[in-house]
Amino acid sequence: MMRWCGFRAETSAQPPVGGITYALRMAEEWVPDILGDGFEQLTLPLGVDGQSGPLDATLVRSIPNHLAAWAKPLADVDVLYIHGWSDYFFQTELAHFHTSRGARFYALDLRRYGRSIRPGQTRGYVGSLDDYDLEIELALEAMGHGVDADPKRKLVLLGHSTGGLTLTLWAARHSGRASALVLNSPWLELQIGAIGRQVVAPLVGMRARVDPRGNNPVVDLGYYTRAQKEVGSLPVPHYREDWRPEFGFPTKPGWLEAVVHGHARIARGIDVGCPALVMLSAHSASPFTWTDSATNADSVLIVDDIAKAATRIGDLVTIARVDGAIHDVFLSRAQPRQKAYKVLDHWLVGLR
């Protein structure tokens, strides 16, 4: 059996960037969440954005009954989940999977996403993926995994798509903080591949410097959302389409440059400092035209390129290809979704 990583590393304070004043307001209290019984949320004040006012993130939690959890295989595990682009946390099945095995489950709606959207904000915008260190650290502190803590419980980071890229880079910069990293179709490479990324990177950077919050061409034609509806993943109770629009948020040059910089870091090779599981569909489908293959393949990423990039994130990486899965493997049809959960279950328990 493999052992969980257990050491910690100190982190430096987050400097003011992106026109944001990090004069933190007092954290609020846990209150009932929109997902209903068993879910609570905590607002994490981040400061003030000079362009749109108060800036917040939101932590959601689902905690199992202590008496029922103590004998479960993940009874000493805390999970922190981060969503993808134009997304938020609504996957109650994913939370219940972990809590049924004794884990405490937390999900973070990042600044300008989902529960954290405030009036006048550019949805999803960030000028550097490193900026998310602030809300990740505040979330970990609320979970008992702050930089100065000595947690007795193990930390599993779980990221989907852009959230997977964000957590992969965070883990590499904070080696040893996490015991394991689970990535659900992480966006580790641009859809035009490494060579294409290197060609367009200077153009992306130039546009970002001139007009960071301008509009990029529309790339989401709504086929991924349609695929989720076709396989029965949507709608779900309490779903907020205004937080997760069919055609996605408009992308911005400054945000795209941040993502491209993240991809370049992955390409150079990093070390997340713990075992990593990367879950992907077995196939990709075109995002530019509708075909039935979109219901059993990833219509967002080029999964073969992601699998190749995943080999550069650490020394111990497991790559699981799930035939029939869509971009979010846990929103696929019943059969590939059950396979994905089985893979995750065996991998997490096998790390003990």
Side-chain angles (χ1 to χ4, degrees):
M1 293 290 183
M2 293 178 286
R3 295 186 180 274
W4 294 74
C5 307
F7 59 94
R8 301 190 302 114
E10 296 298 319
T11 60
S12 59
Q14 175 76 16
V17 294
I20 299 169
T21 302
Y22 290 129
L24 301 186
R25 310 188 307 279
M26 291 191 63
E28 300 181 15
E29 299 294 328
W30 289 99
V31 298
D33 186 64
I34 62 170
L35 295 179
D37 291 344
F39 291 89
E40 297 179 304
Q41 65 169 264
L42 176 69
T43 299
L44 304 175
L46 305 180
V48 178
D49 181 341
Q51 295 193 12
S52 60
L55 194 66
D56 299 309
T58 311
L59 187 64
V60 179
R61 72 179 179 185
S62 180
I63 307 297
N65 179 280
H66 295 296
L67 294 178
W70 73 272
K72 302 286 183 159
L74 303 181
D76 62 343
V77 171
D78 294 333
V79 178
L80 177 62
Y81 170 84
I82 294 186
H83 55 80
W85 167 251
S86 193
D87 207 350
Y88 75 101
F89 173 67
F90 64 94
Q91 296 92 333
T92 56
E93 183 183 59
L94 185 63
H96 292 150
F97 165 84
H98 289 91
T99 56
S100 69
R101 287 151 181 79
R104 299 174 183 172
F105 183 88
Y106 298 82
L108 182 62
D109 278 10
L110 298 168
R111 66 184 73 181
R112 306 188 182 101
Y113 285 95
R115 298 163 179 83
S116 306
I117 294 173
R118 302 293 180 260
Q121 292 184 340
T122 303
R123 295 189 175 196
Y125 184 80
V126 72
S128 168
L129 297 180
D130 294 2
D131 291 355
Y132 291 132
D133 281 17
L134 178 58
E135 51 254 64
I136 292 173
E137 195 60 56
L138 291 174
L140 292 176
E141 185 175 332
M143 295 167 58
H145 290 268
V147 67
D148 295 323
D150 185 18
K152 305 302 181 185
R153 301 175 60 81
K154 296 160 180 80
L155 174 66
V156 173
L157 301 176
L158 171 56
H160 169 56
S161 198
T162 315
L165 172 63
T166 298
L167 281 178
T168 298
L169 296 170
W170 185 91
R173 294 194 306 274
H174 303 82
S175 183
R177 295 285 297 280
S179 300
L181 176 67
V182 178
L183 302 175
N184 169 9
S185 300
W187 192 15
L188 301 182
E189 181 57 272
L190 210 59
Q191 284 85 331
I192 56 177
I195 294 176
R197 170 176 47 78
Q198 293 173 46
V199 170
V200 304
L203 301 177
V204 171
M206 184 181 304
R207 176 80 192 284
R209 286 189 292 274
V210 174
D211 188 18
R213 301 200 190 205
N215 289 322
N216 286 324
V218 174
V219 294
D220 188 344
L221 302 180
Y223 297 135
Y224 175 50
T225 298
R226 177 177 172 180
Q228 293 171 70
K229 293 177 179 178
E230 292 275 346
V231 304
S233 299
L234 296 178
V236 295
H238 314 292
Y239 186 70
R240 292 287 301 267
E241 191 168 349
D242 56 327
W243 291 351
R244 199 172 185 263
E246 179 180 2
F247 299 100
F249 299 156
T251 65
K252 307 297 178 180
W255 169 84
L256 182 57
E257 183 186 37
V259 170
V260 169
H261 281 173
H263 291 160
R265 290 189 218 173
I266 299 293
R268 291 193 294 269
I270 60 174
D271 184 3
V272 296
C274 62
L277 170 65
V278 180
M279 307 183 73
L280 299 165
S281 177
H283 306 283
S284 292
S286 172
F288 301 117
T289 184
W290 173 259
T291 64
D292 288 342
S293 63
T295 64
N296 53 38
D298 190 326
S299 59
V300 177
L301 301 179
I302 308 301
V303 291
D304 289 345
D305 288 348
I306 303 303
K308 182 184 294 186
T311 64
R312 303 188 182 100
I313 69 172
D315 296 330
L316 186 56
V317 180
T318 302
I319 300 174
R321 305 292 290 267
V322 182
D323 192 27
I326 61 173
H327 179 52
D328 187 331
V329 299
F330 299 115
L331 294 180
S332 305
R333 294 190 193 275
Q335 186 173 355
R337 187 173 73 248
Q338 290 167 6
K339 180 180 178 181
Y341 277 120
K342 186 175 182 180
V343 168
L344 178 57
D345 194 19
H346 286 179
W347 189 81
L348 287 174
V349 174
L351 284 176
R352 305 306 307 225

